[in-house]
Amino acid sequence: MLKVKNLKKYFEINQGFFDKEKKYIKAVDDISFELKKGETLAIVGESGCGKSTTGKTILRLHEKTSGDVIFNGIHIHDISKEELRQLRPKMQMIFQDPFSSLNPRMNIEKIIGEALLEHKLVSTNEIKDKVLEVANSCGLSSYHLQKKPSEFSGGQRQRIGIARALALNPELIVCDEPVSALDVSIQSQIINLLMESQEKYNLSYLFISHDLSVVKHIANRVAVMYLGSMVEIAPKDELYKNPVHPYTKALLSAIPIPDPTIKKDRIILKGDIPSPSNPPNGCKFHTRCPYSMKVCKEIAPTYKSIGDNHLVACHLV
């Protein structure tokens, strides 16, 4: 359903008056993957690795620098703004911050129904019934609809954000860290709601997160990003059972185990993350990798298949 081919998104850095050479932050640097109908692909990595920029560029909230984003055979970045507007209901986003992503001046009925009226998906007479139907499916009641966002908790606000996305009957939803701002007790409720909605409406999710313990419950496949590049992609069970890239192993070692009697070997990465405006030559991870070799500093690794749809970009393979 979704194909991303060699996608790049660079942001130009404003230089001084006498600095003629242009410099760029390479937020997304040549990534490729596919997403099937009804599947959840999780993109994980440290903060600043380009996860959210990837999601926004796919939805054309950012214009690409190069590459292709193909949704149901349509090249998203090559169509006109009017054609993109007609396609928008099929591609929605759930934002990370449930506090700033809702208009504080509007009540919940208007927030959920605004896009329905804008895209003329329902008539004015049907809007209340449609909004109530979607709100109920997300655990909200009729008396909630006349309230404003300031009267709700973080978990309830995220339910409103999910209802707003589901109201348009989308096929693809980009979930940009939808539970990271919530209490742990509320996170499970929102994850369950997303999974129930996926099964009910046959949705495809691009689930962006830095929490691998959350990803384990919702994803079918997992892609690991580091400094704008994807270093490993595999089915969920295969990745958790058999991580290959040193960066993936370090991320998995940081997942806490709820049993104090089990001692886990934590892999501590040394050094700081390099600047995305000046990434290292060769493998971007070589400055922090405990297994770095000479070839890692000179040649960027390409994807290698190690079976079972498991791809790794590492010279150790």
Side-chain angles (χ1 to χ4, degrees):
M1 187 186 73
L2 176 70
K3 293 182 179 179
V4 176
K5 297 181 179 179
N6 305 112
L7 182 65
K8 294 182 180 181
K9 176 57 186 175
Y10 296 172
F11 294 97
E12 186 175 345
I13 304 172
N14 291 327
Q15 300 293 301
F17 181 78
F18 296 103
D19 196 342
K20 303 285 184 177
E21 183 183 355
K22 289 185 178 180
K23 293 186 178 180
Y24 298 90
I25 292 177
K26 298 179 179 180
V28 180
D29 195 12
D30 197 14
I31 66 171
S32 301
F33 61 87
E34 294 184 357
L35 179 65
K36 297 177 182 177
K37 183 73 174 174
E39 183 186 31
T40 299
L41 173 65
I43 300 180
V44 300
E46 294 170 292
S47 296
C49 71
K51 306 184 299 294
S52 296
T53 304
T54 298
K56 291 177 181 178
T57 307
I58 287 170
L59 296 184
R60 202 173 159 182
L61 299 179
H62 293 315
E63 293 293 335
K64 68 175 183 178
T65 300
S66 66
D68 276 319
V69 178
I70 306 168
F71 175 72
N72 285 338
I74 301 170
H75 292 254
I76 297 297
H77 287 265
D78 295 339
I79 59 178
S80 67
K81 289 187 177 180
E82 181 56 33
E83 290 172 318
L84 178 63
R85 186 179 179 278
Q86 294 174 8
L87 194 63
R88 276 276 180 239
K90 298 299 180 186
M91 305 181 300
Q92 289 297 300
M93 188 166 193
I94 299 170
F95 294 93
Q96 177 177 358
D97 186 358
F99 295 91
S100 63
S101 61
L102 302 177
N103 190 332
R105 297 175 181 270
M106 297 170 68
N107 64 28
I108 305 312
E109 182 178 334
K110 289 183 178 179
I111 287 173
I112 297 174
E114 182 183 24
L116 286 169
L117 292 175
E118 180 68 24
H119 290 282
K120 299 180 173 60
L121 298 180
V122 296
S123 65
T124 308
N125 297 330
E126 299 172 322
I127 186 71
K128 284 192 175 182
D129 292 337
K130 177 64 176 177
V131 169
L132 182 58
E133 177 192 338
V134 176
N136 286 341
S137 71
C138 293
L140 300 168
S141 302
S142 56
Y143 66 86
H144 287 135
L145 299 182
Q146 301 309 315
K147 295 183 177 182
K148 293 189 175 178
S150 59
E151 300 177 67
F152 293 91
S153 66
Q156 288 175 314
R157 292 188 195 202
Q158 199 61 289
R159 289 178 184 272
I160 296 165
I162 294 170
R164 177 175 59 182
L166 293 177
L168 297 173
N169 296 321
E171 295 179 25
L172 169 67
I173 297 183
V174 175
C175 307
D176 185 10
E177 303 203 33
V179 297
S180 65
L182 307 178
D183 293 339
V184 175
S185 59
I186 305 300
Q187 288 183 5
S188 60
Q189 297 177 20
I190 298 301
I191 291 296
N192 289 336
L193 173 59
L194 289 171
M195 294 173 71
E196 289 165 8
S197 300
Q198 181 176 35
E199 187 174 346
K200 183 177 180 180
Y201 300 108
N202 194 24
L203 300 168
S204 298
Y205 289 150
L206 190 66
F207 192 89
I208 296 166
S209 179
H210 60 259
D211 190 339
L212 280 155
S213 58
V214 169
V215 165
K216 192 173 185 178
H217 291 286
I218 193 171
N220 301 114
R221 289 188 300 136
V222 181
V224 182
M225 279 191 78
Y226 180 79
L227 210 63
S229 300
M230 284 188 175
V231 297
E232 188 166 1
I233 183 167
K236 174 187 66 178
D237 293 337
E238 169 68 13
L239 187 90
Y240 281 79
K241 187 191 305 180
N242 182 32
V244 175
H245 198 282
Y247 180 61
T248 308
K249 291 179 180 179
L251 289 180
L252 290 172
S253 75
I255 299 176
I257 297 176
D259 187 346
T261 62
I262 298 176
K263 188 176 181 181
K264 193 172 184 180
D265 293 330
R266 176 75 192 277
I267 300 174
I268 305 296
L269 296 177
K270 297 180 180 179
D272 296 324
I273 302 174
S275 170
S277 62
N278 186 27
N281 294 326
C283 175
K284 294 179 181 179
F285 187 62
H286 83 258
T287 58
R288 304 172 73 196
C289 180
Y291 311 106
S292 178
M293 304 176 289
K294 184 179 179 182
V295 66
C296 301
K297 302 174 183 179
E298 299 171 352
I299 302 173
T302 56
Y303 274 134
K304 299 180 183 72
S305 175
I306 58 173
D308 196 22
N309 296 318
H310 193 159
L311 300 173
V312 187
C314 182
H315 290 299
L316 295 171
V317 179

mmCIF file with all atom_site columns, all heavy atoms in Angstrom, residues 232-255:
data_model
loop_
_atom_site.group_PDB
_atom_site.id
_atom_site.type_symbol
_atom_site.label_atom_id
_atom_site.label_alt_id
_atom_site.label_comp_id
_atom_site.label_asym_id
_atom_site.label_entity_id
_atom_site.label_seq_id
_atom_site.pdbx_PDB_ins_code
_atom_site.Cartn_x
_atom_site.Cartn_y
_atom_site.Cartn_z
_atom_site.occupancy
_atom_site.B_iso_or_equiv
_atom_site.pdbx_formal_charge
_atom_site.auth_seq_id
_atom_site.auth_comp_id
_atom_site.auth_asym_id
_atom_site.auth_atom_id
_atom_site.pdbx_PDB_model_num
ATOM 1   N N   . GLU A 1 232 ? 18.396 -1.535  10.420 1.00 0.00 ? 232 GLU A N   1
ATOM 2   C CA  . GLU A 1 232 ? 17.893 -2.907  10.498 1.00 0.00 ? 232 GLU A CA  1
ATOM 3   C C   . GLU A 1 232 ? 16.375 -2.880  10.404 1.00 0.00 ? 232 GLU A C   1
ATOM 4   O O   . GLU A 1 232 ? 15.718 -2.010  10.978 1.00 0.00 ? 232 GLU A O   1
ATOM 5   C CB  . GLU A 1 232 ? 18.338 -3.568  11.809 1.00 0.00 ? 232 GLU A CB  1
ATOM 6   C CG  . GLU A 1 232 ? 18.023 -5.058  11.889 1.00 0.00 ? 232 GLU A CG  1
ATOM 7   C CD  . GLU A 1 232 ? 18.758 -5.766  13.026 1.00 0.00 ? 232 GLU A CD  1
ATOM 8   O OE1 . GLU A 1 232 ? 19.502 -5.087  13.779 1.00 0.00 ? 232 GLU A OE1 1
ATOM 9   O OE2 . GLU A 1 232 ? 18.606 -6.993  13.154 1.00 0.00 ? 232 GLU A OE2 1
ATOM 10  N N   . ILE A 1 233 ? 15.808 -3.842  9.677  1.00 0.00 ? 233 ILE A N   1
ATOM 11  C CA  . ILE A 1 233 ? 14.358 -3.973  9.563  1.00 0.00 ? 233 ILE A CA  1
ATOM 12  C C   . ILE A 1 233 ? 14.020 -5.462  9.507  1.00 0.00 ? 233 ILE A C   1
ATOM 13  O O   . ILE A 1 233 ? 14.648 -6.220  8.769  1.00 0.00 ? 233 ILE A O   1
ATOM 14  C CB  . ILE A 1 233 ? 13.821 -3.202  8.336  1.00 0.00 ? 233 ILE A CB  1
ATOM 15  C CG1 . ILE A 1 233 ? 12.289 -3.289  8.268  1.00 0.00 ? 233 ILE A CG1 1
ATOM 16  C CG2 . ILE A 1 233 ? 14.456 -3.671  7.047  1.00 0.00 ? 233 ILE A CG2 1
ATOM 17  C CD1 . ILE A 1 233 ? 11.689 -2.305  7.274  1.00 0.00 ? 233 ILE A CD1 1
ATOM 18  N N   . ALA A 1 234 ? 13.036 -5.863  10.324 1.00 0.00 ? 234 ALA A N   1
ATOM 19  C CA  . ALA A 1 234 ? 12.722 -7.287  10.429 1.00 0.00 ? 234 ALA A CA  1
ATOM 20  C C   . ALA A 1 234 ? 11.337 -7.462  11.049 1.00 0.00 ? 234 ALA A C   1
ATOM 21  O O   . ALA A 1 234 ? 10.813 -6.540  11.696 1.00 0.00 ? 234 ALA A O   1
ATOM 22  C CB  . ALA A 1 234 ? 13.768 -8.009  11.284 1.00 0.00 ? 234 ALA A CB  1
ATOM 23  N N   . PRO A 1 235 ? 10.717 -8.643  10.879 1.00 0.00 ? 235 PRO A N   1
ATOM 24  C CA  . PRO A 1 235 ? 9.501  -8.944  11.631 1.00 0.00 ? 235 PRO A CA  1
ATOM 25  C C   . PRO A 1 235 ? 9.767  -8.818  13.128 1.00 0.00 ? 235 PRO A C   1
ATOM 26  O O   . PRO A 1 235 ? 10.872 -9.094  13.595 1.00 0.00 ? 235 PRO A O   1
ATOM 27  C CB  . PRO A 1 235 ? 9.197  -10.397 11.239 1.00 0.00 ? 235 PRO A CB  1
ATOM 28  C CG  . PRO A 1 235 ? 9.846  -10.577 9.904  1.00 0.00 ? 235 PRO A CG  1
ATOM 29  C CD  . PRO A 1 235 ? 11.080 -9.736  9.945  1.00 0.00 ? 235 PRO A CD  1
ATOM 30  N N   . LYS A 1 236 ? 8.748  -8.425  13.868 1.00 0.00 ? 236 LYS A N   1
ATOM 31  C CA  . LYS A 1 236 ? 8.920  -8.118  15.295 1.00 0.00 ? 236 LYS A CA  1
ATOM 32  C C   . LYS A 1 236 ? 9.574  -9.262  16.077 1.00 0.00 ? 236 LYS A C   1
ATOM 33  O O   . LYS A 1 236 ? 10.578 -9.056  16.765 1.00 0.00 ? 236 LYS A O   1
ATOM 34  C CB  . LYS A 1 236 ? 7.558  -7.784  15.899 1.00 0.00 ? 236 LYS A CB  1
ATOM 35  C CG  . LYS A 1 236 ? 7.575  -7.580  17.403 1.00 0.00 ? 236 LYS A CG  1
ATOM 36  C CD  . LYS A 1 236 ? 6.173  -7.430  17.951 1.00 0.00 ? 236 LYS A CD  1
ATOM 37  C CE  . LYS A 1 236 ? 5.371  -8.711  17.811 1.00 0.00 ? 236 LYS A CE  1
ATOM 38  N NZ  . LYS A 1 236 ? 4.001  -8.579  18.384 1.00 0.00 ? 236 LYS A NZ  1
ATOM 39  N N   . ASP A 1 237 ? 9.009  -10.449 15.977 1.00 0.00 ? 237 ASP A N   1
ATOM 40  C CA  . ASP A 1 237 ? 9.531  -11.575 16.764 1.00 0.00 ? 237 ASP A CA  1
ATOM 41  C C   . ASP A 1 237 ? 10.979 -11.897 16.403 1.00 0.00 ? 237 ASP A C   1
ATOM 42  O O   . ASP A 1 237 ? 11.789 -12.208 17.274 1.00 0.00 ? 237 ASP A O   1
ATOM 43  C CB  . ASP A 1 237 ? 8.650  -12.815 16.555 1.00 0.00 ? 237 ASP A CB  1
ATOM 44  C CG  . ASP A 1 237 ? 7.256  -12.644 17.138 1.00 0.00 ? 237 ASP A CG  1
ATOM 45  O OD1 . ASP A 1 237 ? 7.103  -11.800 18.041 1.00 0.00 ? 237 ASP A OD1 1
ATOM 46  O OD2 . ASP A 1 237 ? 6.326  -13.329 16.675 1.00 0.00 ? 237 ASP A OD2 1
ATOM 47  N N   . GLU A 1 238 ? 11.297 -11.787 15.110 1.00 0.00 ? 238 GLU A N   1
ATOM 48  C CA  . GLU A 1 238 ? 12.656 -12.069 14.651 1.00 0.00 ? 238 GLU A CA  1
ATOM 49  C C   . GLU A 1 238 ? 13.632 -11.031 15.191 1.00 0.00 ? 238 GLU A C   1
ATOM 50  O O   . GLU A 1 238 ? 14.743 -11.359 15.626 1.00 0.00 ? 238 GLU A O   1
ATOM 51  C CB  . GLU A 1 238 ? 12.678 -12.081 13.120 1.00 0.00 ? 238 GLU A CB  1
ATOM 52  C CG  . GLU A 1 238 ? 14.062 -12.094 12.476 1.00 0.00 ? 238 GLU A CG  1
ATOM 53  C CD  . GLU A 1 238 ? 14.834 -13.388 12.695 1.00 0.00 ? 238 GLU A CD  1
ATOM 54  O OE1 . GLU A 1 238 ? 14.223 -14.384 13.141 1.00 0.00 ? 238 GLU A OE1 1
ATOM 55  O OE2 . GLU A 1 238 ? 16.047 -13.403 12.428 1.00 0.00 ? 238 GLU A OE2 1
ATOM 56  N N   . LEU A 1 239 ? 13.227 -9.772  15.210 1.00 0.00 ? 239 LEU A N   1
ATOM 57  C CA  . LEU A 1 239 ? 14.126 -8.708  15.675 1.00 0.00 ? 239 LEU A CA  1
ATOM 58  C C   . LEU A 1 239 ? 14.402 -8.836  17.168 1.00 0.00 ? 239 LEU A C   1
ATOM 59  O O   . LEU A 1 239 ? 15.551 -8.684  17.612 1.00 0.00 ? 239 LEU A O   1
ATOM 60  C CB  . LEU A 1 239 ? 13.520 -7.334  15.377 1.00 0.00 ? 239 LEU A CB  1
ATOM 61  C CG  . LEU A 1 239 ? 14.457 -6.168  15.679 1.00 0.00 ? 239 LEU A CG  1
ATOM 62  C CD1 . LEU A 1 239 ? 15.280 -5.841  14.430 1.00 0.00 ? 239 LEU A CD1 1
ATOM 63  C CD2 . LEU A 1 239 ? 13.705 -4.927  16.121 1.00 0.00 ? 239 LEU A CD2 1
ATOM 64  N N   . TYR A 1 240 ? 13.379 -9.119  17.956 1.00 0.00 ? 240 TYR A N   1
ATOM 65  C CA  . TYR A 1 240 ? 13.564 -9.218  19.400 1.00 0.00 ? 240 TYR A CA  1
ATOM 66  C C   . TYR A 1 240 ? 14.341 -10.472 19.785 1.00 0.00 ? 240 TYR A C   1
ATOM 67  O O   . TYR A 1 240 ? 15.063 -10.494 20.776 1.00 0.00 ? 240 TYR A O   1
ATOM 68  C CB  . TYR A 1 240 ? 12.208 -9.199  20.119 1.00 0.00 ? 240 TYR A CB  1
ATOM 69  C CG  . TYR A 1 240 ? 11.618 -7.817  20.246 1.00 0.00 ? 240 TYR A CG  1
ATOM 70  C CD1 . TYR A 1 240 ? 10.978 -7.210  19.178 1.00 0.00 ? 240 TYR A CD1 1
ATOM 71  C CD2 . TYR A 1 240 ? 11.702 -7.108  21.439 1.00 0.00 ? 240 TYR A CD2 1
ATOM 72  C CE1 . TYR A 1 240 ? 10.437 -5.936  19.287 1.00 0.00 ? 240 TYR A CE1 1
ATOM 73  C CE2 . TYR A 1 240 ? 11.167 -5.834  21.567 1.00 0.00 ? 240 TYR A CE2 1
ATOM 74  C CZ  . TYR A 1 240 ? 10.529 -5.256  20.478 1.00 0.00 ? 240 TYR A CZ  1
ATOM 75  O OH  . TYR A 1 240 ? 10.005 -3.991  20.602 1.00 0.00 ? 240 TYR A OH  1
ATOM 76  N N   . LYS A 1 241 ? 14.190 -11.531 18.982 1.00 0.00 ? 241 LYS A N   1
ATOM 77  C CA  . LYS A 1 241 ? 14.862 -12.793 19.274 1.00 0.00 ? 241 LYS A CA  1
ATOM 78  C C   . LYS A 1 241 ? 16.294 -12.810 18.746 1.00 0.00 ? 241 LYS A C   1
ATOM 79  O O   . LYS A 1 241 ? 17.199 -13.357 19.380 1.00 0.00 ? 241 LYS A O   1
ATOM 80  C CB  . LYS A 1 241 ? 14.073 -13.937 18.631 1.00 0.00 ? 241 LYS A CB  1
ATOM 81  C CG  . LYS A 1 241 ? 14.580 -15.329 19.001 1.00 0.00 ? 241 LYS A CG  1
ATOM 82  C CD  . LYS A 1 241 ? 13.931 -16.397 18.132 1.00 0.00 ? 241 LYS A CD  1
ATOM 83  C CE  . LYS A 1 241 ? 12.417 -16.331 18.186 1.00 0.00 ? 241 LYS A CE  1
ATOM 84  N NZ  . LYS A 1 241 ? 11.774 -17.365 17.341 1.00 0.00 ? 241 LYS A NZ  1
ATOM 85  N N   . ASN A 1 242 ? 16.496 -12.167 17.575 1.00 0.00 ? 242 ASN A N   1
ATOM 86  C CA  . ASN A 1 242 ? 17.792 -12.263 16.909 1.00 0.00 ? 242 ASN A CA  1
ATOM 87  C C   . ASN A 1 242 ? 18.250 -10.905 16.379 1.00 0.00 ? 242 ASN A C   1
ATOM 88  O O   . ASN A 1 242 ? 18.382 -10.719 15.169 1.00 0.00 ? 242 ASN A O   1
ATOM 89  C CB  . ASN A 1 242 ? 17.699 -13.291 15.763 1.00 0.00 ? 242 ASN A CB  1
ATOM 90  C CG  . ASN A 1 242 ? 19.019 -13.483 15.044 1.00 0.00 ? 242 ASN A CG  1
ATOM 91  O OD1 . ASN A 1 242 ? 20.090 -13.380 15.644 1.00 0.00 ? 242 ASN A OD1 1
ATOM 92  N ND2 . ASN A 1 242 ? 18.959 -13.743 13.735 1.00 0.00 ? 242 ASN A ND2 1
ATOM 93  N N   . PRO A 1 243 ? 18.482 -9.918  17.253 1.00 0.00 ? 243 PRO A N   1
ATOM 94  C CA  . PRO A 1 243 ? 19.007 -8.632  16.773 1.00 0.00 ? 243 PRO A CA  1
ATOM 95  C C   . PRO A 1 243 ? 20.431 -8.795  16.267 1.00 0.00 ? 243 PRO A C   1
ATOM 96  O O   . PRO A 1 243 ? 21.221 -9.508  16.876 1.00 0.00 ? 243 PRO A O   1
ATOM 97  C CB  . PRO A 1 243 ? 18.952 -7.746  18.025 1.00 0.00 ? 243 PRO A CB  1
ATOM 98  C CG  . PRO A 1 243 ? 19.068 -8.705  19.166 1.00 0.00 ? 243 PRO A CG  1
ATOM 99  C CD  . PRO A 1 243 ? 18.373 -9.964  18.715 1.00 0.00 ? 243 PRO A CD  1
ATOM 100 N N   . VAL A 1 244 ? 20.749 -8.134  15.165 1.00 0.00 ? 244 VAL A N   1
ATOM 101 C CA  . VAL A 1 244 ? 22.070 -8.305  14.546 1.00 0.00 ? 244 VAL A CA  1
ATOM 102 C C   . VAL A 1 244 ? 22.903 -7.035  14.629 1.00 0.00 ? 244 VAL A C   1
ATOM 103 O O   . VAL A 1 244 ? 24.077 -7.066  14.990 1.00 0.00 ? 244 VAL A O   1
ATOM 104 C CB  . VAL A 1 244 ? 21.919 -8.752  13.075 1.00 0.00 ? 244 VAL A CB  1
ATOM 105 C CG1 . VAL A 1 244 ? 23.280 -8.823  12.389 1.00 0.00 ? 244 VAL A CG1 1
ATOM 106 C CG2 . VAL A 1 244 ? 21.219 -10.106 12.993 1.00 0.00 ? 244 VAL A CG2 1
ATOM 107 N N   . HIS A 1 245 ? 22.333 -5.899  14.300 1.00 0.00 ? 245 HIS A N   1
ATOM 108 C CA  . HIS A 1 245 ? 23.099 -4.657  14.307 1.00 0.00 ? 245 HIS A CA  1
ATOM 109 C C   . HIS A 1 245 ? 23.457 -4.260  15.746 1.00 0.00 ? 245 HIS A C   1
ATOM 110 O O   . HIS A 1 245 ? 22.616 -4.366  16.645 1.00 0.00 ? 245 HIS A O   1
ATOM 111 C CB  . HIS A 1 245 ? 22.287 -3.538  13.648 1.00 0.00 ? 245 HIS A CB  1
ATOM 112 C CG  . HIS A 1 245 ? 23.116 -2.377  13.221 1.00 0.00 ? 245 HIS A CG  1
ATOM 113 N ND1 . HIS A 1 245 ? 23.577 -1.419  14.106 1.00 0.00 ? 245 HIS A ND1 1
ATOM 114 C CD2 . HIS A 1 245 ? 23.587 -2.013  11.994 1.00 0.00 ? 245 HIS A CD2 1
ATOM 115 C CE1 . HIS A 1 245 ? 24.273 -0.508  13.445 1.00 0.00 ? 245 HIS A CE1 1
ATOM 116 N NE2 . HIS A 1 245 ? 24.305 -0.848  12.162 1.00 0.00 ? 245 HIS A NE2 1
ATOM 117 N N   . PRO A 1 246 ? 24.687 -3.814  16.002 1.00 0.00 ? 246 PRO A N   1
ATOM 118 C CA  . PRO A 1 246 ? 25.094 -3.429  17.366 1.00 0.00 ? 246 PRO A CA  1
ATOM 119 C C   . PRO A 1 246 ? 24.191 -2.364  17.983 1.00 0.00 ? 246 PRO A C   1
ATOM 120 O O   . PRO A 1 246 ? 23.957 -2.373  19.192 1.00 0.00 ? 246 PRO A O   1
ATOM 121 C CB  . PRO A 1 246 ? 26.528 -2.908  17.176 1.00 0.00 ? 246 PRO A CB  1
ATOM 122 C CG  . PRO A 1 246 ? 27.020 -3.583  15.937 1.00 0.00 ? 246 PRO A CG  1
ATOM 123 C CD  . PRO A 1 246 ? 25.818 -3.741  15.044 1.00 0.00 ? 246 PRO A CD  1
ATOM 124 N N   . TYR A 1 247 ? 23.678 -1.459  17.154 1.00 0.00 ? 247 TYR A N   1
ATOM 125 C CA  . TYR A 1 247 ? 22.785 -0.412  17.680 1.00 0.00 ? 247 TYR A CA  1
ATOM 126 C C   . TYR A 1 247 ? 21.463 -1.007  18.143 1.00 0.00 ? 247 TYR A C   1
ATOM 127 O O   . TYR A 1 247 ? 20.935 -0.645  19.208 1.00 0.00 ? 247 TYR A O   1
ATOM 128 C CB  . TYR A 1 247 ? 22.562 0.650   16.605 1.00 0.00 ? 247 TYR A CB  1
ATOM 129 C CG  . TYR A 1 247 ? 21.656 1.774   17.034 1.00 0.00 ? 247 TYR A CG  1
ATOM 130 C CD1 . TYR A 1 247 ? 21.993 2.586   18.103 1.00 0.00 ? 247 TYR A CD1 1
ATOM 131 C CD2 . TYR A 1 247 ? 20.455 2.035   16.370 1.00 0.00 ? 247 TYR A CD2 1
ATOM 132 C CE1 . TYR A 1 247 ? 21.175 3.630   18.503 1.00 0.00 ? 247 TYR A CE1 1
ATOM 133 C CE2 . TYR A 1 247 ? 19.632 3.066   16.766 1.00 0.00 ? 247 TYR A CE2 1
ATOM 134 C CZ  . TYR A 1 247 ? 19.992 3.866   17.833 1.00 0.00 ? 247 TYR A CZ  1
ATOM 135 O OH  . TYR A 1 247 ? 19.175 4.895   18.244 1.00 0.00 ? 247 TYR A OH  1
ATOM 136 N N   . THR A 1 248 ? 20.918 -1.948  17.373 1.00 0.00 ? 248 THR A N   1
ATOM 137 C CA  . THR A 1 248 ? 19.680 -2.622  17.761 1.00 0.00 ? 248 THR A CA  1
ATOM 138 C C   . THR A 1 248 ? 19.867 -3.371  19.070 1.00 0.00 ? 248 THR A C   1
ATOM 139 O O   . THR A 1 248 ? 19.009 -3.350  19.956 1.00 0.00 ? 248 THR A O   1
ATOM 140 C CB  . THR A 1 248 ? 19.222 -3.598  16.660 1.00 0.00 ? 248 THR A CB  1
ATOM 141 O OG1 . THR A 1 248 ? 19.162 -2.914  15.408 1.00 0.00 ? 248 THR A OG1 1
ATOM 142 C CG2 . THR A 1 248 ? 17.869 -4.184  16.973 1.00 0.00 ? 248 THR A CG2 1
ATOM 143 N N   . LYS A 1 249 ? 20.998 -4.046  19.205 1.00 0.00 ? 249 LYS A N   1
ATOM 144 C CA  . LYS A 1 249 ? 21.285 -4.794  20.433 1.00 0.00 ? 249 LYS A CA  1
ATOM 145 C C   . LYS A 1 249 ? 21.334 -3.852  21.638 1.00 0.00 ? 249 LYS A C   1
ATOM 146 O O   . LYS A 1 249 ? 20.836 -4.189  22.727 1.00 0.00 ? 249 LYS A O   1
ATOM 147 C CB  . LYS A 1 249 ? 22.614 -5.542  20.305 1.00 0.00 ? 249 LYS A CB  1
ATOM 148 C CG  . LYS A 1 249 ? 22.584 -6.694  19.305 1.00 0.00 ? 249 LYS A CG  1
ATOM 149 C CD  . LYS A 1 249 ? 23.945 -7.368  19.227 1.00 0.00 ? 249 LYS A CD  1
ATOM 150 C CE  . LYS A 1 249 ? 23.927 -8.530  18.238 1.00 0.00 ? 249 LYS A CE  1
ATOM 151 N NZ  . LYS A 1 249 ? 25.255 -9.198  18.133 1.00 0.00 ? 249 LYS A NZ  1
ATOM 152 N N   . ALA A 1 250 ? 21.917 -2.670  21.452 1.00 0.00 ? 250 ALA A N   1
ATOM 153 C CA  . ALA A 1 250 ? 22.004 -1.704  22.552 1.00 0.00 ? 250 ALA A CA  1
ATOM 154 C C   . ALA A 1 250 ? 20.621 -1.194  22.946 1.00 0.00 ? 250 ALA A C   1
ATOM 155 O O   . ALA A 1 250 ? 20.316 -1.047  24.137 1.00 0.00 ? 250 ALA A O   1
ATOM 156 C CB  . ALA A 1 250 ? 22.911 -0.543  22.146 1.00 0.00 ? 250 ALA A CB  1
ATOM 157 N N   . LEU A 1 251 ? 19.766 -0.939  21.949 1.00 0.00 ? 251 LEU A N   1
ATOM 158 C CA  . LEU A 1 251 ? 18.408 -0.471  22.250 1.00 0.00 ? 251 LEU A CA  1
ATOM 159 C C   . LEU A 1 251 ? 17.618 -1.536  23.009 1.00 0.00 ? 251 LEU A C   1
ATOM 160 O O   . LEU A 1 251 ? 16.932 -1.244  23.993 1.00 0.00 ? 251 LEU A O   1
ATOM 161 C CB  . LEU A 1 251 ? 17.671 -0.115  20.956 1.00 0.00 ? 251 LEU A CB  1
ATOM 162 C CG  . LEU A 1 251 ? 18.123 1.140   20.197 1.00 0.00 ? 251 LEU A CG  1
ATOM 163 C CD1 . LEU A 1 251 ? 17.268 1.322   18.941 1.00 0.00 ? 251 LEU A CD1 1
ATOM 164 C CD2 . LEU A 1 251 ? 18.015 2.380   21.068 1.00 0.00 ? 251 LEU A CD2 1
ATOM 165 N N   . LEU A 1 252 ? 17.713 -2.784  22.560 1.00 0.00 ? 252 LEU A N   1
ATOM 166 C CA  . LEU A 1 252 ? 16.967 -3.863  23.206 1.00 0.00 ? 252 LEU A CA  1
ATOM 167 C C   . LEU A 1 252 ? 17.467 -4.138  24.629 1.00 0.00 ? 252 LEU A C   1
ATOM 168 O O   . LEU A 1 252 ? 16.693 -4.533  25.499 1.00 0.00 ? 252 LEU A O   1
ATOM 169 C CB  . LEU A 1 252 ? 17.058 -5.142  22.369 1.00 0.00 ? 252 LEU A CB  1
ATOM 170 C CG  . LEU A 1 252 ? 16.288 -5.122  21.043 1.00 0.00 ? 252 LEU A CG  1
ATOM 171 C CD1 . LEU A 1 252 ? 16.600 -6.362  20.217 1.00 0.00 ? 252 LEU A CD1 1
ATOM 172 C CD2 . LEU A 1 252 ? 14.792 -5.017  21.288 1.00 0.00 ? 252 LEU A CD2 1
ATOM 173 N N   . SER A 1 253 ? 18.750 -3.911  24.841 1.00 0.00 ? 253 SER A N   1
ATOM 174 C CA  . SER A 1 253 ? 19.295 -4.150  26.180 1.00 0.00 ? 253 SER A CA  1
ATOM 175 C C   . SER A 1 253 ? 18.786 -3.130  27.199 1.00 0.00 ? 253 SER A C   1
ATOM 176 O O   . SER A 1 253 ? 18.890 -3.346  28.410 1.00 0.00 ? 253 SER A O   1
ATOM 177 C CB  . SER A 1 253 ? 20.830 -4.110  26.144 1.00 0.00 ? 253 SER A CB  1
ATOM 178 O OG  . SER A 1 253 ? 21.314 -2.775  26.041 1.00 0.00 ? 253 SER A OG  1
ATOM 179 N N   . ALA A 1 254 ? 18.232 -2.013  26.708 1.00 0.00 ? 254 ALA A N   1
ATOM 180 C CA  . ALA A 1 254 ? 17.745 -0.959  27.605 1.00 0.00 ? 254 ALA A CA  1
ATOM 181 C C   . ALA A 1 254 ? 16.309 -1.190  28.064 1.00 0.00 ? 254 ALA A C   1
ATOM 182 O O   . ALA A 1 254 ? 15.799 -0.453  28.918 1.00 0.00 ? 254 ALA A O   1
ATOM 183 C CB  . ALA A 1 254 ? 17.843 0.399   26.909 1.00 0.00 ? 254 ALA A CB  1
ATOM 184 N N   . ILE A 1 255 ? 15.624 -2.208  27.495 1.00 0.00 ? 255 ILE A N   1
ATOM 185 C CA  . ILE A 1 255 ? 14.243 -2.493  27.904 1.00 0.00 ? 255 ILE A CA  1
ATOM 186 C C   . ILE A 1 255 ? 14.251 -3.059  29.320 1.00 0.00 ? 255 ILE A C   1
ATOM 187 O O   . ILE A 1 255 ? 14.908 -4.064  29.587 1.00 0.00 ? 255 ILE A O   1
ATOM 188 C CB  . ILE A 1 255 ? 13.585 -3.506  26.947 1.00 0.00 ? 255 ILE A CB  1
ATOM 189 C CG1 . ILE A 1 255 ? 13.538 -2.951  25.514 1.00 0.00 ? 255 ILE A CG1 1
ATOM 190 C CG2 . ILE A 1 255 ? 12.171 -3.840  27.417 1.00 0.00 ? 255 ILE A CG2 1
ATOM 191 C CD1 . ILE A 1 255 ? 12.990 -3.946  24.508 1.00 0.00 ? 255 ILE A CD1 1
#
